[in-house]
């Protein structure tokens, strides 16, 4: 994208304020980066600073605003194929009966290509500028996902899944295969040298990996300085199973910690049943959590107390967890996080504060960037960061949002978060390039 100045309402999060609304402001972009954010009275100065002319200014009328791109910290691109179906089973039976049989099909590259094309297109259309993807155990299909993400211009972490234990005979790797294929995958992606795409080390969850494999993956992440993603404490049955499988471990988190898989670049999905001791370990290692409220309700796993995690100082982002979660939009994750917190608050003391929509907005943007270790590049409109943004239009004809004269800018933004959808997302930018 050529250099440009946006003029109108900006909405983003900062370290101190989950939602800052800047009306009558300008945001200047050049070389893919945010060059300035100022009051609109500085327009002339900004134009000369960036070497631009009046025609390079994009004016946003009432009802339109610019916000940071949404960050999905946990999504299974491979599971997009059955999103919105198959939610009547609890996690462990759901994995056995739906997930493993369906993921096994990704050995077929044509099938994989079709699913991944559709998944990435859908996710981007819904404003997810950064996604942390699980693929499947198959290297070729996962490389195909990388090509598709690259062509779409999305920012992403992409993981080839590791599974060498308690997996069905038709969807499993030997420990040796898993090690070799993962290193092959990692080196191929790193060779591409695409600054937007990174491999992420992806042990599916503790039960699906031998300690030998998990330890190797911890070592590989360190060797190549890579992020790590997995699942933890999503259901009580899973927690009990992990206790049986790893009797020598203090708790679930300890299994990962013994393998050096809890780092300041690790994101663990769910964490519904983590103890205080485990959360303290997350804090001390810098491990983040991806809160996936739709999935937790759809599979009846439980309700994660986001307030408790935030109060303990653990990094927190939101995830769709497609297809444990049935909705590919991060707007749904924002809404459902608020609703889950509202329900939790019913059983709490009166001064318990449920999650506000402003805080959920932050978790879906700046929070996600912190969890993924990308807060130096994306997550908000700080000068110097790359321009990952959505141009939202709540006034789109026949759209899902109705705006009235009485609505303040605050109301308009809140209406978008609760009622809006992809029809309101008019333009999508990643690293300054318009990708939609
Ligand atoms: N735990 C292990 N694998 C999965 C998965 O694919 N989805 C969810 N929600 N939890 C998991
Ligand atoms: Zn998941």
């Amino acid at each position: 994208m050529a250099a440009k100045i946006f003029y109108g309402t900006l909405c983003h999060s900062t370290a101190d304020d989950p939602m800052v609304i800047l009306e009558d402001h300008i945001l200047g972009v050049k070389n893919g980066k945010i060059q300035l954010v100022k009051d609109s009275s500085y327009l002339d100065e900004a134009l000369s600073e960036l070497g631009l002319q009046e025609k390079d200014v994009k004016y946003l009328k009432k009802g339109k605003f610019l916000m940071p791109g949404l960050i999905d910290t946990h999504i299974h691109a491979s599971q997009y194929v059955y999103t919105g179906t198959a939610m009547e089973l609890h996690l462990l039976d759901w994995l056995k009966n739906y997930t493993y049989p369906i993921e096994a099909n990704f050995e077929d590259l044509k099938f994989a290509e079709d699913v991944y094309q559709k998944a990435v297109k859908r996710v981007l259309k819904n404003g997810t500028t950064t996604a942390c993807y699980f693929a499947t155990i198959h290297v070729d299909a996962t490389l195909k996902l990388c090509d598709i993400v690259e062509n779409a211009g999305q920012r992403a972490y992409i993981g080839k899944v590791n599974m060498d234990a308690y997996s069905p005979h038709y969807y499993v790797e030997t420990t040796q295969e898993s090690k070799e294929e993962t290193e092959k995958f990692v080196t191929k992606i790193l060779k591409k040298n695409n600054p937007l795409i990174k491999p992420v080390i992806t042990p599916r969850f503790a039960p699906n990996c031998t300690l030998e494999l998990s330890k190797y993956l911890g070592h590989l992440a360190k060797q190549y300085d890579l992020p790590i993603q997995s699942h933890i404490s999503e259901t009580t049955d899973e927690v009990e199973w992990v206790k049986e499988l790893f009797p020598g471990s203090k708790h679930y988190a300890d299994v990962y910690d013994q393998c050096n898989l809890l780092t300041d670049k690790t994101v663990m999905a769910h964490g519904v049943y983590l103890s205080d001791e485990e959360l303290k370990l997350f804090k001390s290692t810098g491990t983040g959590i991806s809160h996936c409220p739709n999935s937790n309700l759809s599979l009846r796993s439980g309700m994660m107390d986001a307030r408790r995690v935030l109060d303990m100082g653990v990094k927190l982002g939101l995830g769709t967890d497609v297809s444990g979660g049935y909705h590919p939009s991060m707007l749904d994750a924002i809404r459902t996080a608020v609703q889950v917190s509202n329900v939790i608050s019913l059983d709490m003391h009166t001064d318990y504060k449920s999650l506000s929509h402003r805080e959920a907005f932050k978790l879906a943007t700046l929070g996600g960037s912190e969890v993924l270790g990308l807060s130096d590049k994306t997550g908000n409109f700080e000068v110097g960061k790359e321009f990952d943004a959505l141009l939202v239009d709540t006034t789109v004809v026949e759209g899902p949002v109705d705006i009235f004269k009485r609505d303040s800018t605050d109301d308009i933004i809140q209406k978008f978060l609760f009622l809006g959808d992809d029809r309101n997302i008019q333009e999508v930018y990643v690293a300054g390039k318009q990708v939609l």
Side-chain angles (χ1 to χ4, degrees):
M1 179 185 92
K4 202 185 252 188
I5 289 178
F6 293 86
Y7 186 124
T9 299
L10 316 175
C11 174
H12 75 149
S13 305
T14 63
D16 311 322
D17 190 341
M19 187 184 279
V20 179
I21 298 172
L22 302 167
E23 294 181 85
D24 279 321
H25 267 64
I26 50 172
L27 183 150
V29 185
K30 197 172 181 178
N31 301 326
K33 291 194 172 166
I34 300 166
Q35 306 292 337
L36 55 91
V37 176
K38 284 193 164 135
D39 183 276
S40 60
S41 59
Y42 286 91
L43 180 61
D44 288 344
E45 221 172 277
L47 284 170
S48 71
E49 190 181 324
L50 300 182
L52 299 176
Q53 298 165 359
E54 180 64 31
K55 68 169 175 49
D56 302 314
V57 182
K58 188 164 183 126
Y59 289 93
L60 311 180
K61 67 174 180 9
K62 183 176 167 152
K64 290 192 183 195
F65 64 93
L66 207 60
M67 62 171 272
L70 293 159
I71 299 181
D72 190 342
T73 56
H74 186 75
I75 173 165
H76 298 257
S78 50
Q79 294 174 16
Y80 182 62
V81 68
Y82 65 109
T83 309
T85 70
M87 287 173 285
E88 78 285 2
L89 299 175
H90 286 107
L91 175 70
L92 299 178
D93 287 330
W94 175 80
L95 288 171
K96 223 184 283 171
N97 288 282
Y98 297 115
T99 308
Y100 297 155
I102 289 170
E103 288 192 13
N105 293 325
F106 283 72
E107 201 172 349
D108 175 350
L109 262 188
K110 277 224 148 26
F111 173 76
E113 184 171 6
D114 180 44
V115 177
Y116 287 153
Q117 288 280 15
K118 288 176 176 144
V120 172
K121 188 171 167 198
R122 176 70 58 197
V123 166
L124 204 54
K125 205 164 137 59
N126 276 288
T128 298
T129 50
T130 302
C132 189
Y133 287 118
F134 271 62
T136 61
I137 65 172
H138 314 96
V139 171
D140 290 344
T142 310
L143 288 168
K144 181 62 77 181
L145 174 60
C146 293
D147 290 343
I148 290 167
V149 168
E150 192 165 29
N151 287 337
Q154 194 178 36
R155 190 187 298 279
Y157 285 177
I158 298 174
K160 173 228 163 304
V161 176
N162 297 96
M163 296 167 66
D164 72 335
Y166 296 97
S167 312
H169 65 89
Y170 58 82
Y171 190 48
V172 66
E173 311 162 286
T174 65
T175 308
Q176 196 54 30
E177 265 167 9
S178 192
K179 290 178 181 179
E180 286 170 10
E181 297 283 279
T182 305
E183 186 157 19
K184 180 169 125 190
F185 171 73
V186 163
T187 49
K188 280 201 170 177
I189 301 302
L190 292 179
K191 257 198 210 123
K192 276 175 175 268
N193 241 335
N194 179 337
L196 297 180
I197 294 180
K198 236 190 194 183
V200 49
I201 298 298
T202 307
R204 178 168 215 120
F205 70 155
N208 278 154
C209 294
T210 58
L211 282 177
E212 181 188 338
L213 178 58
S214 291
K215 283 183 178 154
Y216 171 81
L217 295 174
H219 163 78
L220 199 66
K222 186 159 186 194
Q223 185 185 346
Y224 290 95
D225 191 24
L226 295 177
I228 297 166
Q229 61 176 350
S230 192
H231 299 89
I232 194 165
S233 292
E234 180 176 356
T235 72
T236 49
D237 287 354
E238 173 204 0
V239 174
E240 284 308 308
W241 192 28
V242 169
K243 249 190 221 160
E244 278 168 36
L245 291 176
F246 304 96
S249 295
K250 269 193 287 184
H251 40 58
Y252 197 156
D254 187 40
V255 179
Y256 292 130
D257 194 36
Q258 278 171 33
C259 303
N260 296 314
L261 288 168
L262 299 185
T263 74
D264 62 358
K265 290 194 179 70
T266 298
V267 51
M268 286 285 165
H270 305 298
V272 180
Y273 299 100
L274 290 173
S275 63
D276 283 356
E277 195 184 343
E278 287 174 297
L279 284 175
K280 280 182 195 152
L281 180 60
F282 270 45
K283 168 135 170 97
S284 67
T285 54
T287 301
I289 294 177
S290 174
H291 175 31
C292 305
N294 187 315
S295 172
N296 297 157
L297 296 183
S298 297
L299 299 181
R300 294 163 303 283
S301 304
M303 292 191 292
M304 218 277 300
D305 187 349
R307 176 66 61 213
R308 172 171 170 252
V309 171
L310 290 172
D311 283 351
M312 289 192 68
V314 174
K315 291 187 288 190
L316 188 64
L318 297 182
T320 59
D321 193 25
V322 156
S323 73
Y326 63 75
H327 211 303
S329 168
M330 285 298 293
L331 291 172
D332 170 84
I334 290 173
R335 291 160 199 167
T336 315
V338 169
Q339 300 292 44
V340 162
S341 188
N342 284 344
V343 174
I344 290 174
S345 77
L346 298 175
D347 283 335
M348 296 291 186
H349 43 80
T350 47
D351 53 1
Y352 178 88
K353 278 182 95 155
S354 59
L355 200 69
S356 68
H357 71 277
R358 293 167 167 263
E359 289 174 297
F361 169 82
K362 180 175 180 179
L363 296 183
T365 53
L366 190 58
S369 75
E370 286 163 355
V371 163
L372 298 181
L374 288 172
S375 57
D376 58 332
K377 294 195 169 63
T378 185
N380 68 0
F381 291 149
E382 205 177 301
V383 171
K385 286 197 186 185
E386 295 178 24
F387 183 63
D388 290 3
L390 311 180
L391 200 170
V392 177
D393 182 2
T394 56
T395 65
V396 62
V397 181
E398 304 290 328
V401 181
D402 286 312
I403 300 297
F404 299 93
K405 222 179 178 165
R406 65 169 289 280
D407 285 325
S408 63
T409 304
D410 206 332
D411 294 331
I412 289 170
I413 291 167
Q414 195 171 343
K415 281 188 174 185
F416 168 67
L417 294 179
F418 282 96
L419 301 167
D421 63 28
D422 58 329
R423 288 168 286 179
N424 301 113
I425 299 174
Q426 206 171 51
E427 294 174 6
V428 178
Y429 295 87
V430 178
K433 182 174 169 210
Q434 187 173 350
V435 295
L436 264 186

